[in-house]
Amino acid sequence: MKRVKLIIHEPLINKAIGSELNLLLNDKANLIDAISEVDKMICNKGEFPVPHYQSLLHMIYNPVQNRFYKQAAVTAYDESGQLLNVRDDPKKTLPEGVTVIVIPAGGCISEWEEAIDYTEFLKAI
């Protein structure tokens, strides 16, 4: 098992579960696995709090194309502070002690993509 810190900047989600989450994940876990764990936590609290979406993963990730939406800001760094490129390979195994910052609607966005239909999302996942 490994430790992963996930920091989420989304007020409606932060009200439900907080903004900084320390997760204990399988050694082979990737960012999609980490976000899915967060979605389980949110689901245990009730409905997903952001209108028009069913989960954080649905909000920021297109599983058909295996990529994050343009408006989603995703960055990560390891324990030494070295930046890791998790955006280009969402399914890459995360290292122990990584910190990931997710901003579902990042600032300075010039392009906005609509999330795929939730039924299509579930089929692709």
Side-chain angles (χ1 to χ4, degrees), residues 58-78:
H58 177 230
M59 189 176 185
I60 67 171
Y61 176 71
N62 182 329
V64 174
Q65 298 177 354
N66 187 35
R67 67 175 181 82
F68 293 104
Y69 292 115
K70 292 176 183 175
Q71 68 268 19
V74 181
T75 190
Y77 54 92
D78 65 18

Side-chain angles (χ1 to χ4, degrees), residues 1-115:
M1 300 297 276
K2 65 180 163 191
R3 295 173 298 112
V4 172
K5 181 187 289 186
L6 194 62
I7 300 170
I8 305 167
H9 292 285
E10 171 53 55
L12 294 174
I13 293 173
N14 299 152
K15 284 181 184 178
I17 60 167
S19 61
E20 190 171 305
L21 304 164
N22 292 299
L23 307 172
L24 192 59
L25 303 173
N26 180 293
D27 288 335
K28 300 287 184 187
N30 57 44
L31 185 49
I32 302 307
D33 298 324
I35 295 169
S36 293
E37 246 345 271
V38 170
D39 281 334
K40 288 177 191 172
M41 295 168 68
I42 295 170
C43 183
N44 287 337
K45 300 279 184 175
E47 283 187 18
F48 188 70
V50 181
H52 311 295
Y53 301 101
Q54 303 303 314
S55 68
L56 177 58
L57 196 58
H58 177 230
M59 189 176 185
I60 67 171
Y61 176 71
N62 182 329
V64 174
Q65 298 177 354
N66 187 35
R67 67 175 181 82
F68 293 104
Y69 292 115
K70 292 176 183 175
Q71 68 268 19
V74 181
T75 190
Y77 54 92
D78 65 18
E79 291 177 306
S80 71
Q82 178 74 32
L83 283 175
L84 305 171
N85 186 355
V86 292
R87 185 170 188 88
D88 287 347
D89 187 1
K91 294 185 178 177
K92 181 178 181 179
T93 301
L94 294 171
E96 162 68 26
V98 68
T99 298
V100 180
I101 301 169
V102 175
I103 306 172
C108 303
I109 302 164
S110 59
E111 293 184 70
W112 187 274
E113 295 180 274
E114 293 297 322

